[in-house]
Each structure stands twice: as C-alpha cells, then as structure tokens.
Amino acid sequence: MSMDETFTGNHALMLEEPLIFEIGASDRTGVDFDLAAVATDELAGLLRTAPIGLPGLSESEVVRHYTRLSRQNYAIDLGLFPLGSCTMKHNPRLNEKVARMPGFADIHPLQPQSTVQGAFGVIDELAHWLITLTGMQAVAMSPKAGAHGELCGILCIKAALEARGEDRRVILVPESAHGTNPATAAFAGFAVESIPATSEGRVDVAALKARLGPDVAGVMITNPNTCGLFERDMKAISNAVHGVGGYVYCDGANFNAIVGRVRPGDLGIDAMHINLHKTFSTPHGGGGPGSGPVVLSAALAPFAPLPFVERQGERFVLIEEETAADHHAQSFGRMCAFHGQMGMFTRALAYILSHGADGLRQVAEDAVLNANYILRSLEDVLDAPFAHSGPCMHEALFSDAGLAEGFTTIDVAKGMIDEGYHPMTVYFPLVVHGAMLVEPTETESKTALDQFIGALRSVALRAKQGDPSLKSAPHFSPRSRVDEVLAARQPVLVWREDRAGE
Amino acid sequence: MPRYFTEDHEWVDVDGTAATVGITDYAQVQLGDVVFVELPAAGKALSKGEPCAVVESVKAASDVYAPVSGTVTAGNDALEADPALVNSAAEGAAAGGGWFFKLTLSDSGELDGLMDAASYAAFVGGL
Amino acid sequence: MRYLPLNDADRRSMLGVIGAGSIDDLFADVPAEARLDGPIAGLPLHASELSVERHMAALSGRNMAAGSVPFFLGAGAYRHHIPASVDHLIQRGEFLTAYTPYQPEIAQGTLQMLFEFQTQVARLYGCDVANASMYDGSTACWEAVGMARRVTKRSKALIAGGLHPHYASVARTMSKYTGDTLVEMTPNPLADEGAALIAAIDGETSCVVVQYPDIFGRVTDLRPLAEAAHAAGALLIAVVTEPVALGLIEAPGAMGADIVVGEGQSIGVGLQFGGPYLGLFACKDKYVRQMPGRLCGQSVDATGRRAYVLTLSTREQHIRREKATSNICTNSGLCALAFSIHMSLLGEAGLRQLAVINHARATAAAAALNAVLGVTVASGPFFNEFRITLNADAREVARTLATRGILCGVPLGRLYPDRADLANDLLVTATETTSDADIAVLCTALGELLS
C-alpha cells in the first residue's frame, strides 16, 4: 500500500461517503411512529404497490452520512468567499434562532388573519426598513429570489406602460450586466439592446442618450455596477430615461456597497430588487432559498403584485385577489402561491435590527474599505483595468493580463482552492478579459484580508511565472477538476441500480 | 464540389441544389469541447442569416446561422450520440463527419456573397 | 458591533495602504447631493442580541402557532412532524453557509446531496429525472406549462378546476407575457372533471394541468387523462402539493404524466407561513434538455474518482441570456437538503407507514365530523384532506373558532371569494400530528357553533 492509499479510501479526517442508495435499504427507517401500521382502504384502486426505490437508514447512519458530506463543502463559516456581487457575509446565528420561533416557523399561510398579526408585523416592519433605506415609496415583498424580483420590477414597468396605453418594445442593458437582466427583459417580451461602457468602466451616457426614444421602455442598470464602480451619472441617466417616458430598473445585487450611505431613490430609480441573502445576511444554503423584495417608486407602486400586507388602523391586513379590486386594481397579478419568503423576512429583520441605521452605514463603509484595501494591495501583481479611474466600491476587478502564455484565470481560481479559499468570481463581467471579481464584504477582519491577499499574490505570481502545477490544481481538495464535458455529453442525473459501479 | 464560407464560420458544400452545412475548424477550436448540438428539423424552411441551429459547449451556447436559404432535408443524427464529432471532424461533409444538416437551396445566387477557402483563410488570419 | 471585526486602528492602517485620507474619499464617485451625511433619520440604531430577541419574540407571540392548538389546515401547505436531526444537520455551517456549488472540487457535499435529492424526487414522482428544485410548487407549475410549450410548440394549456387557485393565478399572470392561452375549467367540487377535461383536449393543446390529490382533496385515476392527452399530442402535467400522499397512492409518472411538479414542504421544511418552500420538478428522460432549473450530474474527476457537478447549464439565463429556458437563477438548496434528510430518515418503509397513518387520521376525522349536526362530509376517496359543508358561512366559523384557539381548516371562501356556492365549505386536513383529542375538540366546538 502506497502513502496515498488506505483500505477505506479515507485520508484521516477527509472521509469518502457513498450514496444513500448504496448504503440504505427500502426496509430500513430512522423514524418511529406511535401508531402501528393500520389496514387501509382501497382508495379507488389507486394504491401504490410497486417498490418506490427510496432507501432508509437509522438516525445515527443518517447523521453520519450528512455530516461527512458537509465536510466536503467550503462555507462562509470556514473562510472568506471572495465572490463578486454575491456578498458572502457572515450569516448570524441569531437569524436562525429567530426564524425558528414557533410563532414564525409553525404558522400556516392561510390561518385567519387575526391569528397571524405578528407575522404581518414582521413583513410590515421589514418593508418599512427597505423603503426607508432605499428612499422609495413602496415594496413588493413576495418575489422568491433575486431573479424573481427582477422579473417583478420589469413586469411592473410593463404594466405601467400598458396602463398608459403604450407599447414600447426595447429595454437597454449595459454590456457588463449579469445574464439575468437580459433574460428577464426577454421573458417579459422586450427586445434587449446593449449599452456600451466607457474606458472608465461605466455606462456610456452619451451612447445611452443617443439611443433613447419613444420605443424605449426603460433601462436596467446595476449600481454600483458589475465592475465594482459607482455610476457617477446615475441621476442624469434616470432624468434622461424619464424624459422620454421610460422607467429605470436598478439591479440591487450590489446594495451592500451603499446601504446607509446612499439612497437609490435619490438617484431617480423606479424599481430595485434587494437580495436579502446578500446585503441582509440570510444564508446562501448551498444554492437558495433566496428572497428578492422589490422597492418601487410612486409611479410603479400601483402595479405591484399580490399579495401584500397593509396597515389599516390598529391591525394588519393581507391584500389578496379578493380585496385587490378596491384599491390595487392595476396589480399585474400574482407571482407565487402564498405570501413570500417569511423565513427570510424574520432572518433579515433580526439582522437589520441588530445593526440598526448606524450599523448598516458602517457595513457599507467597511465593505468598501475592505475591497479598496484588496485592490491597492494587489494592483502591482495583477492587472486592475479600472484602478486608475478612482476608488472601487465593494468589489475589486482584475484581469488576466500578464499571466504566462497558456495560463488563464481558471488556473488562478483553482490555485486558490489549494490555498484554502473558494475562488473569486471568474469570467464575469464579460467586458473584462479573464475577469476576476473580488468582493470581501465587511465581515472579514484585517488579518483575514491580509492572509487572502498573500494567497492571491502567491497564486498570481505562480500564474505569471507559468508554474505548471497550477494547471492541474486543485491538488488538496476532496476532488480534483471534474470532467464537465462528460457530464454534459452523457447526462447522468439520477442513480440507477443497473449503473451501479460506474 | 465547391465549398463556401461565411463570416460566422459556417461552411456550405454545394452540389447542384443540394447543400451540406457545418461549422469550420476555427469555430470548433473557439467553442471548446462540444457537448450538444440542436439541429433544425427536416422540412424546415430557412432564410439566409437566420439562426437555425445551436452548438453548445459546457460554458456557452452559440447560434449557427443559415449560410443560404432553403429547406432542410436531413440533420446529422450522428451528432446526437457523439457531439464530439464537431471537434474531431468539423469540416467533414461525409458520413462520420461533423456536418450539421443538409438542405435544398432555394436561391443559388446567394452563394455569390460567400467567401471561398482562400478568402476565408485570410479573413480568419485577420481576426 | 458583533458582526464587524474591524476596529478604528485597522481602518486607519488600511486607509494608509490605500492612500486615502478618510472613508469619504472612497465614496467620492457619489454625487454630493446623493450623499447621506449620517445614519438615516427615523430608524433605530444598533441593538444587542437580547434586545432583538425580545422584539422578535413579542412579534412571534402575537401569532397562533399550529402546534399549540388543534390544527386542521392544508390547501397546499401541510404540517408534519420533522425529526430533530433534520434541523440540526441543515444548520451545520458547511451546509447553511455554503454557496451555489459552481466549484465542484469544494462542493461535493452539496452536489452529492443534490444528486441523491434528484433521485429521490424522480422515484417519488414515478419519473425518469428530476431537477435540483425550484422556488416552490406554484412557480414549478408555471415553468412546466412553459416547458410544454417548448416541447409541443403549441400554446394552449388546459388547466383543471382542481388546481390550487394560487397556482392558477400565477399561471394566469405569467401567461400574459409568454403568449400562452389558458383554458381554465371552472372549479367544481361536486363533479368529477375527468370527462370534461378529456373532451376539452384538441390538436392545439400543449398540456393538461391537473392536481393530484386536487384542491378539494379528491384522488382520481390519471391514466385516462394521460392517454387522451397523448393521443392529441399534448403533455400531461400533474401537480402534487402533498408528496406524503405518494407513499400510499400511485405516482403520477407511473400513470403517464409527462411532467410532474409540486410542493415539497411537507417533507423536512415545515409551514413557515408560506416560505421558503421547495418546488419539485420531474419529467421523462427525452425532455431533459427542456427542463428549467439547476441540474446536478454524475461525472469523474481528473484522478478518475466519481464526482458530481452542475450540468446542462447552457439552458440557464446566465449563459443563454435572452434565450434561456427560464429566468430562474437559483434553486431552494437548503430546503432540498431538509427534504432529502427527512426522506433518508423515513426511507420507503417509513414513508409508506407515514402515509397510511395520515390517511387513517383523516378517515377518523371525517367519520367523527360526519356525526356532527350541521356538518356534511363530501363523499369520494381522499388522502389526508377532505371537504366538509357546514350549515353556516365557513369563513365566519373559522374566525370564531380561531378566537377559541381552534384552527379548523381552510374555508373555500378564502380561496374562492366570489363563489357564493362554496361559502359554506371547509377543507379539513389531518396528518400524523393530529390527535384524537384534537378531533374531539373540533367536533365539539363545531357542534356547539352550528346548532
């Protein structure tokens, strides 16, 4: 047996774990029931008799299975996630405690409204914070994720135009935008046209103004933008778009840079989605659930989707389809069943109350400080295309210029894994070649930042010197580079007994 | 049989009114490993320049544009089981090649606007 | 502040490295008129954990928790007992605070879990493949209609009257933008709508969308509907809002459904006042490239070891942009994990037993209610939810009983406010959490109120 091989395939604390289908069995279970299995009636001949193929395990085996799996994941609780525009900040455990209070976790969405006034109170209080922090007039709380919120904002714009009797077909989107922006606009039936950027990485306002006309429904702007820069001309852009009768949608993914320091409403926007799982610390959970409430201007508020919570005197009322006709007849409709991501509202509100107005302002300041610290600490070793044009906001952008022949951004990313980090965002935004977008957030200490900077410096230098070991990185992670081509050419999406051993 | 090229890196072999269409070797290098190809159905009418097929790599999906107008007669079924043919034999128009589909030309005059092999090579050289 | 590790000395030092005099210099790009010079007025300042907990506990205390009273609500959200291990495991930091598994080398925990989840969902639903989850059942249902349009190249969707009205409302809203025409059958709890649905299918139908069990709790055989849909070249989409039912009754995929979608919150997730929930989406192999949402696939790594990775990503918006199969950007990962853990604890034997017990509790509740004067229980097979008719307005009854600490069910008037003919109807659900005492309290209270 060589140094690398063990009988189990394990390496000390790094434990391999089979699939539940390989270790469980259909007749095993980790749950006890009080009532013995009783005979059942025929149920109209629809009884399910054939085996389903769902393995069970005892409780101890289940705990071990998932604990072992969890240890193959990187997480914020382990270390810095430098992912641009993802705002991977600390997820406070108070959030989890609050979300699990029985009065929040164990209430049904259709209970009589008198029995859930506290829940409506949470929604109303959070809504008030979001409106006040952004300087807007209303908020749609029901969208279930950021992209869902974008859709909500665009559909409000579409409804507003229809109410004016106008059929505008075009939405303008900067070429640096995240893919959800044009996808959302296209879903809503708009044609998407690109706005170029200046050499300073910002929207080319002259080009935008030149394109404006009566066929433009609006623009979708991210501010700060996906290059990590504040759009200085945002107000001028809003004025110009309003001037031709269009609307301004703001992608709020980067709100962490300006929360408490700038109100997007002051910059003339009409709608902005807020990612509670970014700026407001609700957990990423390995890929959702998120929550994407959308703040709205007075112009768009009448079109917000159902349902929403309203204060009427001393009590809260949920406005659904039934009462919408009274005063919200122009709502564009319903985006999802029930009321929205209540479990995320409680978490976000706990976070917001913890920080308060002063703490949230400090959040933005520390987030911007940390990003600029990284930018200036690394601009001598990595090309930073916009470093000359002034400070960045909450994220620093580097390109792959200067890497050795044959070495690319992906090699830097994989090298960072061996250093104990999740890689930064790579190849986005598309406007920078081999982009590396780094957002540290405010929850990183100076020590943590210095270690990250040192690691990225080391990997970058190896990439510039053409260190061949980078090409096969990562070496120390539970798995090395995965064959994504094979996965796409021959998709295997479920376990099958007849493929056991593959 | 003459082969023509477009600036979008498609090639088309023409034999009378029968044409075979694929993407060039340059294109497959740019795309990387091809994982899936979406082909137009037999019988579909195409207009020159219209997006008519999609070639997917892991990270991107690229449109393929009809180099000429006509009606599709057959798609290359071999690509479904083995999309890697686009990488290994992009410019192969026969069985075992990475060609995409065959069509019947509706307007051979359109061929005048396409490049020949030498012009295409020069075009690629300037990219 | 407990979440902010920088102190003033750190900040000064870092500003020095940056070469800026103050933090304001870093916000120089913000126009002067948009700069706020201090914390926004009118909002409270920071607070301790103790203080926040008290504030939230007070709000929580103003809600009537389902577990504290006799509880009989369903209609798309179901209360089941979740084993203690589930919540502990999902709160492990490596699951709770992990990112979307785009870097598979350091996300095999999430990816393997998603592969197991996809398999569990596909098998539960009787389908070939399933995705890594969607936001919830209602958006999954809408996405299925969109997928049927892509597959059949038709745009007329036939919507059964038994579909949850919120789901139908979402479909109605979204269809305005995609050009789908919805043909909606009138909800009718008194008659089986199978024949009417079959009669309504024609050569332009893209799909038939039917809920199983339906909004009134009814269970019907989907096979005739599947055959009729396929004969016309349309897809059958089955919507399952109570997955525990599939531990007892036949899976829609086995009855011919092409796409099966639904809500997974029953298993592992909890009521949570409507969200976050868990959209489940499964379909036949041949449609996999038209399926929306994230997909986890099996592959190998550079050393030949089995490894999992997100795949078929070119369907998604961050790559296809304008041409994506949908604009969905995420799944409901933590909820999928909770579902999968609970399902692993149950196993097939446990799920079957759980389903049998649910049906038995509901049958007992129905029998007891049927004996109450003023209550008529609807006939016909059901799983764990059934309809009763009162001799009074059901919403009024529900509100009155709530003041007495009884959550008696979902009045149909809440779901169909403009249907006077349904105003006296109530949907009653019983699960393994429903005790004999609960049923007795409900029956006694109803008996008093309705006499």
Side-chain angles (χ1 to χ4, degrees):
Chain A
M1 189 178 288
S2 81
M3 273 285 287
D4 288 336
E5 291 169 22
T6 55
F7 175 79
T8 54
N10 297 333
H11 288 158
L13 287 179
M14 200 55 252
L15 302 159
E16 293 289 320
E17 181 61 15
L19 295 166
I20 47 171
F21 302 94
E22 293 167 319
I23 55 178
S26 294
D27 59 349
R28 299 234 300 277
T29 182
V31 179
D32 292 326
F33 296 100
D34 295 318
L35 301 162
V38 297
T40 186
D41 59 74
E42 284 294 308
L43 258 172
L46 287 169
L47 291 179
R48 185 172 195 173
T49 48
I52 307 173
L54 293 170
L57 296 157
S58 64
E59 177 181 309
S60 49
E61 290 168 296
V62 168
V63 169
R64 221 169 252 174
H65 178 75
Y66 289 97
T67 302
R68 288 179 172 200
L69 286 183
S70 77
R71 289 161 54 78
Q72 296 175 26
N73 272 1
Y74 191 80
I76 300 175
D77 279 3
L78 281 178
L80 197 168
F81 259 91
L83 286 167
S85 290
C86 289
T87 313
M88 301 293 288
K89 64 173 71 184
H90 171 66
N91 301 148
R93 289 316 194 271
L94 177 64
N95 295 0
E96 299 307 308
K97 187 173 182 184
V98 163
R100 286 165 172 79
M101 292 177 174
F104 296 137
D106 198 20
I107 50 175
H108 190 288
L110 297 176
Q111 288 180 209
Q113 297 195 24
S114 64
T115 66
V116 288
Q117 288 289 300
F120 293 149
V122 166
I123 298 174
D124 183 73
E125 192 170 346
L126 177 61
H128 174 71
W129 273 93
L130 296 178
I131 290 170
T132 311
L133 286 171
T134 56
M136 302 292 281
Q137 278 63 55
V139 58
M141 296 297 288
S142 61
K144 297 237 160 197
H148 211 212
E150 278 183 47
L151 184 60
C152 174
I154 291 299
L155 294 183
C156 284
I157 289 174
K158 193 161 173 111
L161 289 166
E162 275 169 19
R164 285 193 342 220
E166 293 185 39
D167 180 20
R168 298 180 178 223
R169 294 296 170 95
V170 176
I171 292 259
L172 304 179
V173 177
E175 55 193 12
S176 58
H178 190 276
T180 48
N181 290 174
T184 298
F187 173 87
F190 292 107
V192 176
E193 289 182 23
S194 218
I195 318 168
T198 65
S199 60
E200 294 210 317
R202 293 165 173 89
V203 166
D204 184 336
V205 183
L208 169 68
K209 285 181 174 175
R211 178 54 191 89
L212 287 176
D215 63 335
V216 174
V219 301
M220 298 176 81
I221 304 278
T222 310
N223 189 22
N225 66 28
T226 60
C227 299
L229 306 168
F230 193 85
E231 292 284 359
R232 305 172 184 122
D233 300 314
M234 190 66 222
K235 190 74 169 72
I237 292 171
S238 297
N239 290 344
V241 174
H242 291 150
V244 298
Y247 294 96
V248 180
Y249 180 83
C250 183
D251 183 322
N254 294 330
F255 190 46
N256 206 52
I258 57 174
V259 60
R261 297 256 338 179
V262 183
R263 283 182 303 225
D266 293 341
L267 300 170
I269 65 164
D270 292 293
M272 183 176 94
H273 81 273
I274 297 172
N275 301 79
L276 295 186
H277 49 289
K278 295 186 180 183
T279 318
F280 297 110
S281 87
T282 70
H284 276 81
S291 175
V294 183
V295 286
L296 299 165
S297 62
L300 291 184
F303 308 99
L306 303 170
F308 55 90
V309 172
E310 201 173 80
R311 188 194 289 257
Q312 291 179 2
E314 283 302 304
R315 62 189 195 110
F316 295 107
V317 171
L318 185 74
I319 307 296
E320 297 183 294
E321 284 83 347
E322 182 180 10
T323 46
D326 296 340
H327 61 345
H328 208 68
Q330 292 182 302
S331 163
F332 72 75
R334 176 184 279 275
M335 296 192 81
C336 62
F338 309 126
H339 327 314
Q341 305 285 64
M342 181 66 185
M344 298 314 165
F345 299 157
T346 48
R347 289 174 169 89
L349 185 57
Y351 174 79
I352 284 171
L353 291 173
S354 296
H355 269 298
D358 53 332
L360 289 172
R361 185 179 165 88
Q362 189 70 61
V363 162
E365 292 180 3
D366 285 355
V368 169
L369 179 67
N370 284 359
N372 278 278
Y373 184 64
I374 288 178
L375 178 68
R376 300 304 168 194
S377 299
L378 286 168
E379 62 182 344
D380 63 312
V381 69
L382 278 173
D383 172 61
F386 305 114
H388 62 274
S389 79
C392 61
M393 297 301 291
H394 65 314
E395 52 196 2
L397 180 58
F398 303 99
S399 82
D400 62 357
L403 299 189
E405 179 73 29
F407 280 73
T408 64
T409 292
I410 197 68
D411 302 314
V412 174
K414 299 302 184 186
M416 288 301 282
I417 291 176
D418 281 333
E419 294 288 346
Y421 293 98
H422 189 284
M424 65 291 284
T425 297
V426 292
Y427 301 111
F428 180 81
L430 301 171
V431 294
V432 166
H433 196 275
M436 295 180 243
L437 190 62
V438 177
E439 179 187 356
T441 84
E442 75 287 355
T443 57
E444 298 303 323
S445 68
K446 184 170 177 301
T447 310
L449 293 175
D450 286 335
Q451 191 190 49
F452 173 77
I453 288 165
L456 184 48
R457 173 178 293 278
S458 167
V459 174
L461 285 171
R462 287 166 64 199
K464 292 173 85 167
Q465 288 150 15
D467 176 356
S469 70
L470 265 187
K471 292 303 256 177
S472 50
H475 306 111
F476 305 129
S477 50
R479 287 294 182 266
S480 44
R481 296 200 199 191
V482 180
D483 189 343
E484 301 189 33
V485 175
L486 175 66
R489 280 187 181 155
Q490 294 166 34
V492 173
L493 306 175
V494 293
W495 169 255
R496 287 209 235 277
E497 277 76 2
D498 59 3
R499 290 205 297 250
E502 278 177 25
Chain B
M1 128 191 15
R3 171 169 286 194
Y4 303 86
F5 296 83
T6 71
E7 289 193 356
D8 291 312
H9 310 290
E10 291 101 14
W11 56 260
V12 51
D13 284 352
V14 180
D15 183 6
T17 57
T20 307
V21 177
I23 65 170
T24 65
D25 195 61
Y26 175 84
Q28 70 83 11
V29 170
Q30 298 303 305
L31 285 168
D33 292 299
V34 173
V35 303
F36 186 72
V37 181
E38 196 182 302
L39 298 168
K44 181 145 168 53
L46 301 177
S47 312
K48 178 176 152 71
E50 172 195 334
C52 61
V54 182
V55 53
E56 295 182 21
S57 61
V58 169
K59 297 291 190 211
S62 300
D63 285 315
V64 174
Y65 303 94
V68 289
S69 309
T71 307
V72 178
T73 51
N76 186 354
D77 293 332
L79 294 185
E80 191 183 327
D82 192 7
L85 284 175
V86 179
N87 296 112
S88 58
E91 303 203 10
W99 58 277
F100 276 35
F101 59 89
K102 297 185 188 295
L103 56 69
T104 307
L105 286 182
S106 57
D107 179 2
S108 48
E110 289 173 338
L111 297 171
D112 296 338
L114 302 180
M115 293 180 271
D116 62 14
S119 316
Y120 178 68
F123 167 70
V124 165
L127 288 173
Chain C
M1 195 281 165
R2 60 189 182 278
Y3 305 145
L4 298 176
L6 297 182
N7 60 33
D8 285 339
D10 294 328
R11 294 183 181 108
R12 271 195 304 276
S13 162
M14 291 161 72
L15 282 171
V17 167
I18 293 167
S22 73
I23 194 73
D24 287 337
D25 293 351
L26 302 179
F27 284 86
D29 284 335
V30 178
E33 56 279 10
R35 282 180 215 158
L36 301 171
D37 49 21
I40 294 171
L43 293 173
L45 301 183
H46 67 276
S48 66
E49 255 197 58
L50 173 61
S51 162
V52 173
E53 236 183 276
R54 276 200 185 125
H55 180 90
M56 297 303 286
L59 285 166
S60 167
R62 290 171 57 201
N63 302 321
M64 184 179 289
S68 65
V69 297
F71 174 87
F72 296 90
L73 279 83
Y78 301 91
R79 185 170 193 272
H80 291 282
H81 178 261
I82 302 174
S85 330
V86 175
D87 205 35
H88 276 274
L89 287 166
I90 69 171
Q91 288 189 81
R92 284 188 68 84
E94 301 95 324
F95 282 133
L96 185 74
T97 71
Y99 183 59
T100 309
Y102 288 132
Q103 300 289 343
E105 300 92 332
I106 47 174
Q108 287 299 299
T110 297
L111 288 163
Q112 180 170 330
M113 179 280 291
L114 288 177
F115 185 78
E116 294 175 348
F117 169 83
Q118 285 171 189
T119 308
Q120 288 169 323
V121 172
R123 291 179 175 199
L124 184 68
Y125 277 1
C127 297
D128 297 327
V129 296
N131 72 14
S133 76
M134 325 255 331
Y135 304 143
D136 74 343
S138 69
T139 51
C141 175
W142 164 248
E143 292 279 359
V145 172
M147 180 172 157
R149 174 169 29 83
R150 286 192 296 278
V151 169
T152 63
K153 312 240 192 305
R154 303 174 183 174
S155 59
K156 191 170 77 168
L158 183 57
I159 312 290
L163 181 65
H164 193 296
H166 286 188
Y167 286 41
S169 181
V170 171
R172 219 177 288 133
T173 301
M174 292 304 153
S175 67
K176 290 188 295 203
Y177 309 102
T178 57
D180 281 291
T181 309
L182 301 186
V183 175
E184 294 185 63
M185 311 291 285
T186 305
N188 182 3
L190 300 177
D192 179 82
E193 60 175 335
L197 278 170
I198 289 173
I201 300 171
D202 64 21
E204 289 171 23
T205 307
S206 60
C207 60
V208 183
V209 181
V210 63
Q211 183 172 314
Y212 172 86
D214 76 3
I215 185 64
F216 307 114
R218 299 178 299 185
V219 177
T220 54
D221 190 343
L222 298 181
R223 275 173 282 243
L225 196 52
E227 280 160 29
H230 295 152
L235 302 187
L236 177 63
I237 298 173
V239 179
V240 180
T241 61
E242 170 55 301
V244 175
L246 301 182
L248 184 62
I249 57 178
E250 187 58 273
M255 291 192 281
D258 301 280
I259 306 173
V260 184
V261 296
E263 179 52 59
Q265 83 35 256
S266 273
I267 298 178
V269 177
L271 289 176
Q272 300 198 98
F273 202 51
Y277 277 176
L278 177 64
L280 305 180
F281 197 114
C283 70
K284 292 184 173 162
D285 248 335
K286 58 181 173 176
Y287 300 132
V288 71
R289 285 181 192 273
Q290 296 305 324
M291 194 160 50
R294 290 198 177 125
L295 283 169
C296 177
Q298 182 176 309
S299 184
V300 291
D301 77 347
T303 68
R305 290 172 293 183
R306 182 175 69 189
Y308 300 96
V309 65
L310 291 180
T311 191
L312 300 188
S313 316
T314 47
R315 300 157 303 119
E316 297 179 49
Q317 44 64 34
H318 62 285
I319 291 178
R320 276 317 254 277
R321 293 170 76 98
E322 297 94 280
K323 299 180 188 144
T325 53
S326 90
N327 98 316
I328 191 165
C329 191
T330 189
N331 57 330
S332 194
L334 200 66
C335 298
L337 174 63
F339 176 101
S340 199
I341 295 172
H342 193 175
M343 196 61 104
S344 299
L345 282 165
L346 284 169
E348 182 159 341
L351 178 68
R352 286 186 185 278
Q353 193 173 1
L354 177 64
V356 163
I357 291 169
N358 269 254
H359 183 60
R361 301 309 300 144
T363 304
L369 284 164
N370 211 25
V372 175
L373 229 55
V375 175
T376 314
V377 175
S379 63
F382 58 82
F383 172 62
N384 65 1
E385 182 165 35
F386 54 90
R387 180 178 62 93
I388 66 177
T389 304
L390 312 175
N391 63 3
D393 181 275
R395 294 178 85 173
E396 281 307 315
V397 168
R399 287 187 200 120
T400 304
L401 288 184
T403 65
R404 298 186 194 175
I406 301 167
L407 294 172
C408 67
V410 179
L412 282 187
R414 174 83 189 262
L415 297 174
Y416 303 101
D418 44 354
R419 290 285 298 269
D421 60 317
L422 303 177
N424 289 6
D425 284 357
L426 187 72
L427 291 175
V428 176
T429 303
T431 72
E432 77 284 1
T433 65
T434 312
S435 69
D436 287 334
D438 292 333
I439 296 172
V441 167
L442 175 65
C443 289
T444 305
L446 274 176
E448 285 167 9
L449 207 54
L450 299 176
S451 63

